[in-house]
Amino acid sequence: MLDPKLFRTQLDEVAKGLSKRGYQLDVERLRALEDTRKVVQVECENLQQERNTRSKNIGKAKAQGQDIAPLLAEVDNLKKALSEAEEKLAAVQTEFNDIVESVPNLLADEVPEGKSEDDNVEVSKWGEPRSFDFEVKDHVDVGAELGGLDFETAGKITGSRFAVMTGSIARMHRALIQFMLNTHTGEHGYSEIYVPYIVNKDSLFGTGQLPKFEEDLFKLRDDRDLYLIPTAEVPVTNVMRDEIVDEAALPVKFACHSPCFRSEAGSYGRDTRGMIRQHQFEKVELVQFVKPDNSAAALEELTGHAELILQQLGLPYRKVILCGGDIGFSSTKTYDLEVWLPSQKTYREISSCSSFGEFQARRMKARFRNAETGKPELLHTVNGSGLAIGRTLVAILENYQQADGSLEIPAVLQPYMNGQTSIAAASK
RNA sequence: GGUGGGGUGGCUGAGUGGUCGAAAGCGGCGGUCUUGAAAACCGUUGAGGGUUUAUCCCCUCCUAGGGUUCAAAUCCCUACCCCACCGCCA
């Protein structure tokens, strides 16, 4: 959420900034609301003041044993005027808030102009895509040959966009989680954290999934308004909701493995084959809470942490900065890491690292106490995938496939797989 | 699932319906003392918003949402959460 003051004092600048996203702010409506808000609020507060002083006087008079009947008569019509004013004010504020809460974050200067993912700008590239001297299979076929990657059984158990893994593939899937968590906690200074996978509306509002993106979520059929998490970002970031932490405690850095559940509404035709786009997938998420001055550096650092995983796995990737038209609602700047998929001869998203400025913190009331001033200030949040496990598995299956149908296991994963160096093709 | 007790400021914890935004303690900040520190002592210290050049002043907030009242932290209803005991249970 943007600072409501910005809508009062710099409305046109805000509108201009948002236009880089292709977002059109209803300037006229906001200006009109603000004008009436001012008048109504002053009126309302004046009436409240009058009620307060009169009530106090009644109290005093009563304490002195005086007759309060005339005082009560005076206050009679005040009550009605006040409740009318309060209702009017509430209506104006509700409409103002509804608009403000649905406005996306302003973008960092360096975010490029653009309308779609085609306009994202490559920042860097790492690794050389391997050249194959045999016909490259996609991960579904590689998995089929190895055995242990089964979409039909998942379809029977549940439906489309789910997978069943068994044997060495299931184990490698788990090994990826362990490897990533150990790296981030052991070498990058993150604390491991375990959180609920079901969250309430306040949490989803805090990170920005609600109120605008409910259709992307799985909602529990229950009268408590609970949802499955679409990413660990939601529970982990909301750890700080309604908190004021000591400045000395910052930065707070969490690494969290969790499953993620996404309805994928509106992506019916896309990535229907394989496990690129699933309703359920695992992810190791990195979340940082930092002082405002440090958030830009923190985004670079965190992105680097995710990149290191790709490098250690020997997976070629590129880093792109998302353009104004493709960047997420809450983000002020986002880098996507895209891994090379030989079967598609292209780079596909495997991590998304974003800086949110104070946007999420304001929604969550997540603050730190400035040691110098003693005053609470909004902290900044930064997060990113480090990495998406399912897609990492896809990338390994494709990039490490062998001519004989076997799979080489990346060296860094071997300790997590009992020293196993390859997975043989299933005997037919 | 049953019964009972609670949710108050950064934290702990008082609070007969009427100067209660709220005692006290801890913590924080400033000071005295000290070579320095600790201890002790003195003072200070909630959050959000409105108005204002600024000071002042004003409003809101004691889990949330309703209600009663001239007046609610305090009374009533609902929801959520926490604690204790019982039952069930991974």
Side-chain angles (χ1 to χ4, degrees), chain A residues 77 105 109 112 129 194 203 244 248 254 262 267 320 358 367 415:
Chain A
N77 47 9
N105 202 357
D109 291 340
Y194 172 87
S203 293
I244 300 176
F254 287 125
R262 301 192 181 175
S267 65
V320 301
E358 58 182 35
R367 294 167 294 176

Side-chain angles (χ1 to χ4, degrees), chain A residues 21 104-105 207-209 328-332 355-357 359-360 363:
Chain A
R21 283 181 174 271
N105 202 357
T207 35
Q209 281 79 14
F329 174 80
S330 301
S331 178
T332 187
S355 175
F356 303 91
F359 190 85
Q360 292 182 325
R363 294 170 86 91

Side-chain angles (χ1 to χ4, degrees), chain A residues 173-380:
Chain A
H173 184 256
R174 174 164 60 88
L176 283 167
I177 295 167
Q178 306 290 22
F179 162 63
M180 291 183 200
L181 270 180
N182 283 0
T183 302
H184 294 310
T185 58
E187 292 168 35
H188 298 154
Y190 292 82
S191 301
E192 187 164 346
I193 184 170
Y194 172 87
V195 291
Y197 303 148
I198 294 173
V199 293
N200 59 32
K201 284 190 153 182
D202 288 341
S203 293
L204 288 158
F205 177 81
T207 35
Q209 281 79 14
L210 290 181
K212 284 192 91 170
F213 307 101
E214 181 168 20
E215 69 278 8
D216 297 336
L217 304 168
F218 281 111
K219 183 174 187 187
L220 265 53
R221 199 185 172 105
D222 179 291
D223 54 14
R224 283 176 295 187
D225 277 341
L226 300 175
Y227 298 78
L228 297 179
I229 58 169
T231 157
E233 166 190 357
V234 178
V236 175
T237 308
N238 276 278
V239 163
M240 287 297 182
R241 173 149 55 84
D242 295 319
E243 298 290 333
I244 300 176
V245 297
D246 284 342
E247 181 174 339
L250 299 175
V252 173
K253 299 162 70 174
F254 287 125
C256 182
H257 156 246
S258 84
C260 305
F261 303 94
R262 301 192 181 175
S263 76
E264 295 298 344
S267 65
Y268 294 115
R270 302 179 66 189
D271 301 311
T272 49
R273 181 176 161 85
M275 57 186 301
I276 297 272
R277 191 174 300 276
Q278 302 271 284
H279 287 310
Q280 170 186 319
F281 62 95
E282 307 296 300
K283 183 156 60 67
V284 169
E285 181 77 2
L286 305 175
V287 176
Q288 294 197 21
F289 303 92
V290 300
K291 287 191 262 182
D293 290 346
N294 298 340
S295 60
L299 175 62
E300 301 301 321
E301 180 199 273
L302 183 147
T303 308
H305 294 155
E307 287 182 63
L308 195 84
I309 298 292
L310 284 162
Q311 292 170 13
Q312 293 196 353
L313 288 169
L315 294 170
Y317 69 92
R318 64 174 198 152
K319 175 160 110 178
V320 301
I321 181 168
L322 298 194
C323 72
D326 196 34
I327 191 170
F329 174 80
S330 301
S331 178
T332 187
K333 177 180 177 182
T334 297
Y335 291 119
D336 271 8
L337 301 180
E338 300 179 336
V339 70
W340 177 255
L341 292 188
S343 72
Q344 300 187 7
K345 294 189 174 52
T346 184
Y347 290 95
R348 293 298 306 265
E349 179 190 339
I350 195 166
S351 169
S352 192
C353 303
S354 302
S355 175
F356 303 91
E358 58 182 35
F359 190 85
Q360 292 182 325
R362 177 170 285 106
R363 294 170 86 91
M364 292 192 301
K365 295 187 187 64
R367 294 167 294 176
F368 69 98
R369 193 170 295 281
N370 183 314
E372 243 174 86
T373 64
K375 292 294 170 194
E377 288 178 29
L378 294 171
L379 38 77
H380 280 201

